[in-house]
Amino acid sequence: MYFKFTFCPIILLLWASLSFAQNVNVVIHGAASIAKTDDNFVCVTLDWWPAEKCDYNQCPWGKAGILNLDLRYGALINAIKAFNPLRIKVGGSLQDNVVYKVGEVSSCPNFMKREDGLFGFSQGCLSMERWDQLNRFFNHTGVKLTFGLNALFGRNESQTEKGLWIGDWQPQNTRDFMQYTISKGYKVDSYEFGNQLSGSGMGAKVDAKQYGKDVIVLKNLVKELYAHPETQPKVLGPGGFYEEKWFNTFLEVSGQGIVDGLIHHIYNLGPGDDPNMMNKILDPSYLNQVSQTYKGVSDVVNKFRPQLGAWVSESGGALNGGSKDVSRTFADGFWYLDQMGMASTYDQKVFCRQALIGGNYGLLNATTFVPNPDYYGALLWHRLMGSTVLAVTKESDPDLRVYAHCAKKKPGVSLIFINLSKDRSFNITLSNAKPGDAGKPNYEFVGKQNREEYHLRALTGDIKDDIVCLNDVPMVQTDSEDIPAMDPKLVDASTPISIAAQSIACVTIRDFEAPACV
């Protein structure tokens, strides 16, 4: 790769300076945390989709699926290594149609188009040769792995209710797969049981009581095969869309101590061919609607208390591969970073982006492996935002979204500012909430150390651009396919934090005194 520009065009800077500036005070409540995320909150998926997967008259997957992805590309390796480590979930819609070629399974079919098949495909297969290749790749890049298991194995589709799969899950193929995995010394952090089988399902569904019984079988299998608690993978479920009654019934049947993490999916932007996609992303009231799902899942977690809490185990924004006109652009970051910020305030421990590569919503281009703009947003979050979440209040301007965490590298706090407004910039002053007495005024924060600021903007000023600038430097891979340096701009602490129109900024303040961050 080569650099097209050394700096973002000067016209962008002039455009930003001409936008109307609004003064806003943001109050950080640093006395106590409101939530905790996992240290590896940022997560991405690798999916099973073959090249023949098509939606909306396009086939954007190419050779980005688990079975056909070329794992030798330096750009792919470097993109993962930059996270050090990156949590990856192997799974997706076809995972319940995958058999593992081990033990009694001798044939290993490829996914083929089949009209009456699950999601339009026949059964597919993971050979142990490919599993070996994947694990060499995961070990080399330092991946923290979640593996999605086939939860339909041994079941049959009901003759009376379309989409409902009945009968007990048969664990033998999974047992053989786990035994092989253990014998090779491969590290699996957690196992996800099935994909989108909850509630009304997506392509297939399983009754909540049946799922609860089966997840107990899986948990006992993991305990049997992984004898040492310190190396025992966690069991996650149900990995589908949240429906209160189904989730409650499943957890009542399985009981406490069985499922370690309650996981669910978010696709709140709707179908990928929606012509109104951009308006949804820029509409704060629309973005807020998904908070009801986060609250519902959080309430269920508080009731049943799974060890790991709740995860968003798949979220691509737009369904069916994403939006070809939006998901790969800078604009998608307004949705993506806002979702991670909102999820963290509702105590969601992990947020898995669909996908690392593949479809239109991949963090990497499916053909060139060049990072899309959202990749850099994810990497900044991973490097800057710690696991302790702080409450934030501000004057009521919905176009300015703000999230605060303790800094990942102490001391201090890190904040994400998202400006949805097309024609207004914001000048931010900070206050430190006075603990214990809501009637007293907050302390205005006056810093003494330079702030560390990372400003993300579209290259040309058009948010549909697929190149992002960090502090006015285009983020383009080097000739050696390395991720470019992402250095902060050091800013005088006595000046307001300036957030340009339709931009995103990450800011770390080292001398902000927040007792929750000590």
Side-chain angles (χ1 to χ4, degrees):
M1 298 298 299
Y2 59 91
F3 287 99
K4 292 182 179 179
F5 304 94
T6 303
F7 296 100
C8 291
I10 192 67
I11 191 172
L12 173 61
L13 301 180
L14 293 173
W15 168 80
S17 66
L18 292 174
S19 63
F20 172 72
Q22 181 174 334
N23 297 325
V24 176
N25 182 252
V26 171
V27 182
I28 301 174
H29 300 260
S33 66
I34 59 169
K36 286 274 191 179
T37 70
D38 188 87
D39 288 338
N40 297 107
F41 174 76
V42 175
C43 165
V44 296
T45 69
L46 285 175
D47 207 298
W48 293 100
W49 289 122
E52 294 78 15
K53 165 65 173 172
C54 303
D55 293 288
Y56 318 126
N57 299 315
Q58 53 168 326
C59 307
W61 281 90
K63 293 186 177 181
I66 293 164
L67 297 180
N68 60 12
L69 178 62
D70 190 334
L71 304 173
R72 299 168 297 176
Y73 277 97
L76 175 63
I77 292 169
N78 293 339
I80 296 173
K81 280 187 169 183
F83 282 83
N84 190 33
L86 178 60
R87 183 187 292 276
I88 289 182
K89 189 199 80 169
V90 170
S93 297
L94 294 181
Q95 79 182 51
D96 295 305
N97 224 19
V98 176
V99 296
Y100 318 121
K101 187 186 177 185
V102 62
E104 297 176 357
V105 175
S106 56
S107 64
C108 199
N110 292 320
F111 289 118
M112 301 290 289
K113 279 278 195 180
R114 199 177 93 184
E115 189 172 337
D116 62 344
L118 186 63
F119 294 101
F121 284 90
S122 67
Q123 192 176 72
C125 170
L126 174 63
S127 70
M128 293 305 95
E129 290 79 11
R130 182 58 172 174
W131 185 229
D132 292 340
Q133 293 171 5
L134 287 164
N135 277 278
R136 285 194 292 270
F137 176 76
F138 295 148
N139 290 336
H140 177 58
T141 53
V143 165
K144 197 174 185 71
L145 179 65
T146 295
F147 186 86
L149 295 168
N150 180 348
L152 292 184
F153 195 87
R155 305 186 205 270
N156 296 296
E157 188 170 5
S158 170
Q159 297 298 309
T160 58
E161 184 176 350
K162 183 174 176 58
L164 176 66
W165 287 63
I166 57 177
D168 295 334
W169 175 62
Q170 299 300 312
Q172 186 59 51
N173 192 222
T174 291
R175 171 186 286 274
D176 294 337
F177 173 72
M178 286 184 180
Q179 286 177 326
Y180 181 86
T181 299
I182 293 167
S183 72
K184 302 289 281 189
Y186 298 151
K187 295 178 181 178
V188 177
D189 176 73
S190 45
Y191 286 111
E192 175 194 66
F193 188 54
N195 182 81
Q196 294 181 343
L197 302 176
S198 58
S200 54
M202 284 285 287
K205 61 183 177 181
V206 173
D207 178 77
K209 291 181 180 179
Q210 180 66 58
Y211 186 93
K213 287 166 37 179
D214 293 327
V215 84
I216 293 173
V217 174
L218 173 59
K219 182 68 171 183
N220 289 334
L221 179 62
V222 170
K223 284 182 175 180
E224 174 193 342
L225 298 181
Y226 292 87
H228 301 291
E230 62 272 15
T231 59
Q232 192 176 98
K234 306 298 188 295
V235 171
L236 310 174
F241 293 107
Y242 171 68
E243 292 187 20
E244 181 180 4
K245 183 178 179 181
W246 195 99
F247 272 56
N248 275 282
T249 300
F250 142 58
L251 289 169
E252 285 166 358
V253 171
S254 63
Q256 293 193 4
I258 299 299
V259 64
D260 298 297
L262 187 69
I263 59 176
H264 66 109
H265 293 179
I266 294 286
Y267 281 92
N268 58 314
L269 296 179
D273 63 346
D274 186 348
N276 199 39
M277 185 72 62
M278 187 69 75
N279 292 332
K280 287 180 176 179
I281 285 175
L282 296 175
D283 182 354
S285 62
Y286 187 89
L287 294 176
N288 287 341
Q289 291 175 16
V290 74
S291 64
Q292 294 304 309
T293 297
Y294 290 129
K295 184 180 184 304
V297 173
S298 181
D299 288 345
V300 173
V301 166
N302 290 334
K303 180 178 179 181
F304 292 96
R305 301 194 178 281
Q307 176 188 349
L308 301 180
W311 292 22
V312 179
S313 65
E314 186 179 313
S315 185
L319 286 161
N320 296 326
S323 167
K324 68 180 179 65
D325 298 320
V326 178
S327 296
R328 301 184 221 184
T329 70
F330 176 77
D332 198 64
F334 297 129
W335 162 80
Y336 181 38
L337 285 167
D338 186 67
Q339 283 300 293
M340 289 201 289
M342 190 185 302
S344 66
T345 64
Y346 281 94
D347 214 27
Q348 312 287 294
K349 306 302 183 183
V350 172
F351 192 98
C352 295
R353 168 64 178 255
Q354 172 81 349
L356 172 64
I357 188 166
N360 293 306
Y361 42 32
L363 293 186
L364 308 178
N365 183 287
T367 304
T368 65
F369 298 88
V370 170
N372 289 320
D374 278 354
Y375 171 88
Y376 294 102
L379 187 54
L380 276 181
W381 182 292
H382 179 75
R383 290 178 174 179
L384 302 179
M385 307 295 279
S387 60
T388 301
V389 186
L390 305 176
V392 175
T393 54
K394 63 178 179 62
E395 297 161 8
S396 56
D397 192 308
D399 283 337
L400 178 65
R401 321 281 282 185
V402 187
Y403 301 99
H405 290 218
C406 296
K408 192 158 195 175
K409 294 182 179 178
K410 294 183 178 182
V413 299
S414 291
L415 300 101
I416 297 279
F417 296 95
I418 303 167
N419 185 354
L420 302 175
S421 175
K422 183 178 181 179
D423 54 13
R424 284 178 301 150
S425 61
F426 292 98
N427 291 327
I428 310 295
T429 56
L430 297 178
S431 293
N432 200 340
K434 181 182 283 292
D437 192 341
K440 292 185 178 180
N442 300 311
Y443 297 107
E444 181 179 350
F445 170 71
V446 180
K448 297 181 180 179
Q449 297 183 30
N450 287 340
R451 296 189 301 268
E452 301 163 21
E453 297 190 1
Y454 305 78
H455 292 266
L456 298 173
R457 300 174 183 169
L459 174 67
T460 62
D462 182 352
I463 60 173
K464 292 182 181 179
D465 206 317
D466 62 0
I467 297 180
V468 62
C469 291
L470 172 63
N471 294 336
D472 301 325
V473 177
M475 292 289 98
V476 184
Q477 283 181 318
T478 66
D479 291 337
S480 59
E481 298 184 312
D482 289 325
I483 300 302
M486 300 177 68
D487 298 321
K489 177 171 66 173
L490 300 180
V491 181
D492 186 343
S494 66
T495 61
I497 301 169
S498 181
I499 312 298
Q502 291 192 331
S503 73
I504 298 167
C506 304
V507 179
T508 296
I509 304 170
R510 296 295 174 190
D511 55 348
F512 193 98
E513 295 183 3
C517 300
V518 175

